[in-house]
Amino acid sequence: MASLNLVAQRALGLRADHLVPFRGRHRLGPDTVVAWQRLRRRGQALGFDLTIASGFRSYARQRMIWDAKAAGNRIVVDGKGRPLQRASMSDGEWIDAIMRFSALPGTSRHHWGSDLDVYDAAAIDDGYRLRLEPDEYTGDGPFAALSDWLGDCISRDDAEGFFRPYAEDQGGVAPEPWHVSHRDTAQGFSPAVSAELLVPLWRGDPQWPETSPLALGESVIDRVAELWGRFVNLGC
C-alpha cells in the first residue's frame, strides 16, 4: 500500500491536528473559521442565526455511521425519506442506498475541516428536532429563507469562499442544501484521497486501529471503481 503521509492522514480523517476548536464541540480549519464568522455576521444582519450542526467528522466516526447502517441498525431511507428494509435488498442495493446519503469512511468531505452542515437557529424553537432533510430547506420549511440567501450568495461567488458541493442531483449523492464547503481549505486535501489508500483501511490496517474491517467492505471493494465514480465527490 502507498504510505500515508501527513496530508493523507488528515485528508482521510485519521488525524485532526490541523484543526482548531470552534464553539465548544466543533473543530474546523483555521481559514474555515475566519470565513464562517464573516458569513455568519452577514447573516445576522439579515436576521439569520447561522449555526453549525456538524463540522469535522473523523474516520472512526464515519465508520461507526457506515457500519450501523450496513447492519441495518441505523435508518436508511429512500429518495422520499421512507425507511428501507435491509432484508428486502441485496448487498449491492443496500450499499447504493447508504451511499445516497452517507459517505464511505475516508471519503467524507467532513474529514477536512472545510465542510459544514448548517441551519438557521433563529427559525426554530428549542424543542425542534433537526433532521437535515430537503423539505426543511425548501418551500415552507423553516430554513428555506436561509437556503435561498445562501444559494444567491454562492451563485454570485459572494459567500466568503463557501460553495455547495452537493447542490444538484447527479445520480449519486442526494442534494444537500445544508452542506457548505470552504473551497480553499478543501482544495488542500481533496487530491490526497484515493481508493488506492482506502482499500487497505477498509480491510483493516493494523497500523490504524480505527480502521477495523468495514461492514460490507469486500462488496464495496469489488465495486470500488463504479462506486467512486458515482458517489465520491472530492471536487472543489
Side-chain angles (χ1 to χ4, degrees):
M1 123 179 222
S3 62
L4 293 180
N5 61 34
L6 183 61
V7 173
Q9 292 170 33
R10 292 169 173 170
L12 302 180
L14 295 170
R15 48 191 308 161
D17 55 350
H18 58 299
L19 307 179
V20 297
F22 183 71
R23 292 186 178 269
R25 65 188 183 93
H26 299 296
R27 286 180 286 177
L28 304 174
D31 292 342
T32 306
V33 169
V34 173
W36 171 252
Q37 289 175 319
R38 289 174 178 163
L39 187 65
R40 191 170 188 276
R41 284 194 293 269
R42 288 171 54 187
Q44 285 176 324
L46 298 174
F48 300 122
D49 182 5
L50 273 76
T51 303
I52 300 172
S54 179
F56 169 76
R57 197 178 302 143
S58 70
Y59 180 102
R61 175 60 181 162
Q62 193 69 28
R63 184 179 60 78
M64 288 174 60
I65 294 169
W66 175 273
D67 286 353
K69 289 189 173 185
N73 296 328
R74 187 169 178 147
I75 292 175
V76 176
V77 299
D78 65 12
K80 295 184 178 179
R82 298 172 299 199
L84 297 170
Q85 298 302 314
R86 175 65 179 101
S88 68
M89 303 177 72
S90 68
D91 287 355
E93 290 170 334
W94 194 244
I95 288 168
D96 290 354
I98 295 171
M99 292 189 70
R100 183 77 170 146
F101 297 97
S102 295
L104 283 161
T107 72
S108 174
R109 299 178 61 98
H110 282 282
H111 295 331
W112 305 339
S114 58
D115 285 51
L116 313 171
D117 295 335
V118 304
Y119 66 100
D120 178 13
I124 55 176
D125 59 35
D126 291 341
Y128 184 85
R129 183 176 178 273
L130 184 67
R131 293 178 287 115
L132 294 180
E133 293 185 2
D135 65 289
E136 295 176 294
Y137 292 79
T138 58
D140 295 328
F143 313 130
L146 171 66
S147 184
D148 288 346
W149 175 69
L150 281 174
D152 180 61
C153 291
I154 290 169
S155 70
R156 294 183 284 106
D157 194 20
D158 184 33
E160 306 298 338
F162 287 98
F163 74 107
R164 281 172 165 157
Y166 304 111
E168 298 179 4
D169 191 344
Q170 299 180 353
V173 180
E176 296 186 350
W178 53 85
H179 186 142
V180 297
S181 177
H182 185 244
R183 190 184 305 273
D184 286 351
T185 301
Q187 284 176 335
F189 296 103
S190 59
V193 183
S194 71
E196 177 188 12
L197 295 180
L198 283 167
V199 166
L201 301 184
W202 294 336
R203 285 187 166 135
D205 186 332
Q207 297 181 68
W208 301 97
E210 60 269 62
T211 68
S212 56
L214 190 68
L216 296 176
E218 289 304 319
S219 295
V220 167
I221 292 166
D222 287 345
R223 300 172 55 207
V224 67
E226 173 205 346
L227 295 172
W228 199 274
R230 286 178 59 197
F231 294 104
V232 179
N233 179 0
L234 307 177
C236 297

